[in-house]
Structure formats: structure tokens, C-alpha cells
Amino acid sequence: ADMAWYAYGALVHNLKGRNTIICDNDLTSMSIIVMTVTSIFGTMLRVTTSGDEAVTTDVYHAFIACACFVVLGAPLGSLLLSRHNQRRLKYLFYVLAALQLLIFGVVKIRDDVVAWCVIGGSLCLVIFGITITNRSSYSLRRRKLEVETGKRVVGV
């Protein structure tokens, strides 16, 4: 739900040519709120299940182990997510995502050609979407500056 919200804001809402464009930091903050709410409801639903589907003590141990990272990481992330660090954090995210995909492929996919083709096609689709979004964002910024200044803008 949180990624769907972010994708909608970045790829649909911001490209409709509205006067209000939601910046990346605000989209990230809103997706964190959506993630928090869905996590709380998911945890409540999971804890209230009984019978064969009941939560084991191993799940609680894993939950407690992860909670430390969330409690410390969320405030640290909000401190680091500033305009000054935004570009560096994006590049770090891209490197970590590529590394995660590579390690997953080596460990789980190995030599399954079909799976690698699906992943490659998905990556091409994502890169195409990012390219279209960046070009549209560039055109919107240029058009907005032209309207504000009343002059033709070259190279924003």
C-alpha cells in the first residue's frame, strides 16, 4: 500500500498538470504513514489469529529484533532526509537495491533463464517509466517557469 501510494503520487498525481505537485520528501513521509498504519493493522490481525495459524514465539522474537532497527532507524532517517543529503541518499538507495537484486539472483535464481528474463524485462519497464517521469517533470517545470516569467525558457 505504501509503495502504491508513492507510485500514484509520483507517476499519476504529479503528471496530471495540476498546480500542486507533491515533492519526493512529502511522498516519502506520506508513504511511511501508510506503511505504519497497515503494519499496525496487520500486526493486530496476525496476533488475534488462533489455532494452527497462531503466531509462534519465533515470530515474536523476530518482531522484537526488527523493532530495534525501526525505532532507531526511523528518526535517524528523518534527520538524514534533507535537501542537502537527498541526492546522495538516492544514489545509495540505487546501489543497495542493485546489490540486493544481484545477491538475490545469485542465491535464489541461479541459472533460471526465464526468471532472469522476467527480471530484466521488469527492470527495463521501470527504467522506461523513470525516464518518462523525468522528461514529463522537466516539461512541467519549464512550462511553469514560462508562465511565471512570460518568456521562453531554455535549459531548466
Side-chain angles (χ1 to χ4, degrees):
D2 55 311
M3 291 305 294
W5 174 258
Y6 188 92
Y8 170 78
L11 298 174
V12 177
H13 177 81
N14 285 349
L15 296 180
K16 283 191 174 180
R18 296 185 173 136
N19 291 335
T20 57
I21 292 178
I22 305 171
C23 70
D24 287 341
N25 286 348
D26 292 338
L27 285 171
T28 302
S29 300
M30 287 186 275
S31 70
I32 289 171
I33 292 169
V34 171
M35 183 189 327
T36 303
V37 171
T38 55
S39 296
I40 289 170
F41 282 122
T43 302
M44 288 182 353
L45 289 173
R46 184 73 174 129
V47 168
T48 57
T49 56
S50 60
D52 292 338
E53 301 295 322
V55 180
T56 63
T57 55
D58 289 339
V59 172
Y60 286 118
H61 291 152
F63 176 72
I64 291 169
C66 293
C68 300
F69 291 105
V70 172
V71 168
L72 296 175
L76 184 62
S78 68
L79 290 174
L80 292 176
L81 189 62
S82 65
R83 290 252 184 240
H84 177 47
N85 292 330
Q86 191 171 11
R87 184 173 295 246
R88 282 187 234 151
L89 288 172
K90 282 183 181 180
Y91 288 139
L92 176 65
F93 171 76
Y94 297 146
V95 168
L96 291 176
L99 185 65
Q100 180 183 8
L101 178 64
L102 183 67
I103 291 172
F104 173 78
V106 168
V107 172
K108 291 287 186 179
I109 298 175
R110 295 189 182 140
D111 57 354
D112 187 359
V113 177
V114 174
W116 281 111
C117 289
V118 168
I119 288 174
S122 300
L123 283 175
C124 289
L125 186 65
V126 167
I127 290 170
F128 176 74
I130 290 171
T131 303
I132 295 298
T133 302
N134 285 341
R135 289 183 184 264
S136 298
S137 176
Y138 171 77
S139 324
L140 287 173
R141 275 196 315 260
R142 195 176 88 217
R143 236 179 305 153
K144 184 178 176 184
L145 282 173
E146 287 175 354
V147 168
E148 288 174 357
T149 61
K151 298 178 183 176
R152 181 169 166 78
V153 177
V154 179
V156 175

